[in-house]
Amino acid sequence: MSSKKVEKTIDATPEEVFAFVTDLKNAAKHVPGILKMKLLSKGEPGVGARFVQERQILGTTQEQEMEIVEFDPPHVYAARAEAHGCEILGRMSLKPSGSGTKLTAEVIVEPKGFTGKLAAPMILKGAEIAMREDLEAMNAALGAG
């Protein structure tokens, strides 16, 4: 199991940041790397909700079906997926920081077999780049916008 973390302080309240992060219907409008988002579950997001995300990572288009596994407003949001022989957990935790919010994005990759062991380093690299881009987009939309 391997992981990467990226942090950013955003000039918005934890409640505003959490609402933005979990606004799956509008994610493709706000986050440049996300090309499409299709909700598979009805109603508001929460634990057990499923969605398909299509995004640009390392020059390729990737589609993943994801399930929300943690949902604790305005503190934690996490979703899990399986891809390329790995279980992937993306987690965002939010903490007040001065007049803003410290947002920590983390990806945890657990290879499942030989294919997963080969894919895991590239998944981590792509996820780290995507997390940095996502946090910059969130900061531009919320903190500076």
Side-chain angles (χ1 to χ4, degrees):
M1 181 167 48
S2 301
S3 67
K4 292 278 184 184
K5 281 186 184 181
V6 176
E7 296 179 340
K8 182 87 178 164
T9 300
I10 297 175
D11 189 21
T13 67
E15 291 79 10
E16 291 169 321
V17 176
F18 191 88
F20 187 88
V21 166
T22 59
D23 182 7
L24 302 179
K25 292 177 186 172
N26 293 304
K29 294 178 191 173
H30 302 304
V31 182
I34 298 176
L35 304 174
K36 293 180 189 172
M37 185 75 77
K38 180 181 178 186
L39 304 177
L40 302 176
S41 303
K42 302 245 187 256
E44 295 300 313
V47 172
R50 301 182 73 77
F51 58 94
V52 176
Q53 173 182 270
E54 182 180 309
R55 70 180 303 146
Q56 198 74 22
I57 299 178
L58 297 176
T60 65
T61 300
Q62 310 244 340
E63 186 176 283
Q64 293 179 327
E65 184 172 328
M66 305 181 82
E67 177 182 1
I68 297 173
V69 294
E70 285 184 82
F71 196 87
D72 181 17
H75 310 289
V76 177
Y77 165 79
R80 128 180 110 74
E82 291 186 22
H84 309 292
C86 294
E87 184 171 307
I88 304 163
L89 177 71
R91 188 172 195 269
M92 292 195 181
S93 58
L94 300 84
K95 293 185 180 178
S97 178
S99 63
T101 301
K102 180 179 177 183
L103 176 57
T104 303
E106 179 179 22
V107 66
I108 301 166
V109 177
E110 186 172 345
K112 303 289 184 184
F114 181 73
T115 302
K117 288 179 184 176
L118 292 175
M122 199 58 117
I123 292 170
L124 282 170
K125 179 181 172 96
E128 182 178 17
I129 292 167
M131 288 187 302
R132 287 187 192 288
E133 291 171 353
D134 291 356
L135 295 188
E136 287 301 326
M138 288 178 204
N139 188 50
L142 286 168

